[in-house]
Amino acid sequence: MHHILNGILFGLLLCVLIGPVFFALIQNSIEKGFWSGFFMAIGVALSDVFYIVITYFGVSKLVENESFKMWLGGVGGVIMLTFGIFYLFKSVPKKLAPTKVNGGKDCFKQVLKGFFLNGVNPFVLFFWIGIVSKVSLDFEYTSNQALGFFIALVGTVFIVDVLKSHFATKLREIVTARFMRIMNRTVGVALIFFALRLLNFLLEGFGIDLFA
């Protein structure tokens, strides 16, 4: 159950990364109703699954190589550390301006909208490289455990996205600039901690252990 709980934890962490998709989902739900946001959330989840498959199967083939494992920890750690520092010091506008969403009423279009809005962001790919590095190196999950981890993670994100659609109007009132600053700093600190764990794989190759 530990890998499932970790999947839920990382899913909740991903949920509080407030960016364009967050506002687009809320705006879409307000303008076109709950089901529009629901199908858009499906598109976002499919996009995440796409990136997981690409990164995980690309990494898992090589993770047994000690040299590759060392440098993967370094690359994954640097990516996650960059995200952590970015969110720790990220400024937020005094007046929030949700992303405008334009689109048809067709459910399939909403799925495509969610898929491409999430998928075209290169930071999403980099984020998943960091997560997959964490799963492969730090957690050392088997294939079945990794599958359970990712199902729990994507499932958590999808459920929260559906709740965002349901409570869209109220969320627009709650997500103030102060709230965003608190969330950004919380996420930043968590990502920096996870990054240090990954970077330790690189440092161990040079005889240094941060957690000795």
Side-chain angles (χ1 to χ4, degrees):
M1 285 298 293
H2 189 261
H3 57 288
I4 301 296
L5 293 175
N6 271 338
I8 294 172
L9 172 65
F10 273 85
L12 292 173
L13 183 65
L14 190 58
C15 288
V16 295
L17 294 178
I18 299 174
V21 173
F22 181 94
F23 287 118
L25 185 66
I26 293 173
Q27 186 74 13
N28 205 31
S29 301
I30 291 173
E31 291 183 354
K32 302 181 178 68
F34 167 75
W35 288 108
S36 178
F38 176 84
F39 284 105
M40 186 177 174
I42 291 177
V44 172
L46 290 175
S47 177
D48 285 335
V49 169
F50 175 75
Y51 276 129
I52 289 169
V53 171
I54 289 176
T55 53
Y56 181 73
F57 285 104
V59 166
S60 62
K61 300 290 184 183
L62 300 169
V63 78
E64 294 304 318
N65 183 297
E66 288 300 320
S67 178
F68 177 80
K69 183 185 292 187
M70 184 180 83
W71 290 106
L72 176 64
V75 172
V78 168
I79 289 173
M80 200 167 282
L81 181 65
T82 303
F83 271 96
I85 294 172
F86 173 76
Y87 277 97
L88 193 61
F89 296 102
K90 183 182 178 183
S91 61
V92 297
K94 292 181 179 179
K95 187 174 182 180
L96 302 180
T99 303
K100 268 289 183 182
V101 179
N102 299 311
K105 300 176 182 178
D106 184 74
C107 295
F108 183 65
K109 288 183 179 179
Q110 298 303 326
V111 173
L112 287 180
K113 184 188 300 179
F115 184 91
F116 286 111
L117 187 63
N118 189 58
V120 297
N121 186 350
F123 292 109
V124 174
L125 174 60
F126 294 143
F127 186 82
W128 282 116
I129 291 173
I131 296 295
V132 168
S133 301
K134 188 76 177 172
V135 168
S136 302
L137 300 181
D138 195 9
F139 294 155
E140 296 183 328
Y141 287 154
T142 64
S143 297
N144 287 338
Q145 288 175 326
L147 178 62
F149 172 89
F150 287 121
I151 289 174
L153 193 160
V154 175
T156 299
V157 173
F158 176 72
I159 290 170
V160 173
D161 279 347
V162 171
L163 291 175
K164 289 176 190 174
S165 299
H166 182 69
F167 296 107
T169 305
K170 292 186 179 297
L171 281 174
R172 281 281 298 277
E173 299 170 357
I174 294 171
V175 184
T176 61
R178 181 173 180 274
F179 177 86
M180 288 181 66
R181 278 194 295 271
I182 293 171
M183 287 296 99
N184 285 342
R185 287 168 185 169
T186 302
V187 170
V189 169
L191 289 178
I192 289 171
F193 172 76
F194 293 134
L196 292 176
R197 295 273 305 188
L198 279 177
L199 286 170
N200 201 45
F201 282 92
L202 176 62
L203 296 175
E204 283 177 344
F206 296 98
I208 303 170
D209 189 347
L210 292 176
F211 301 95

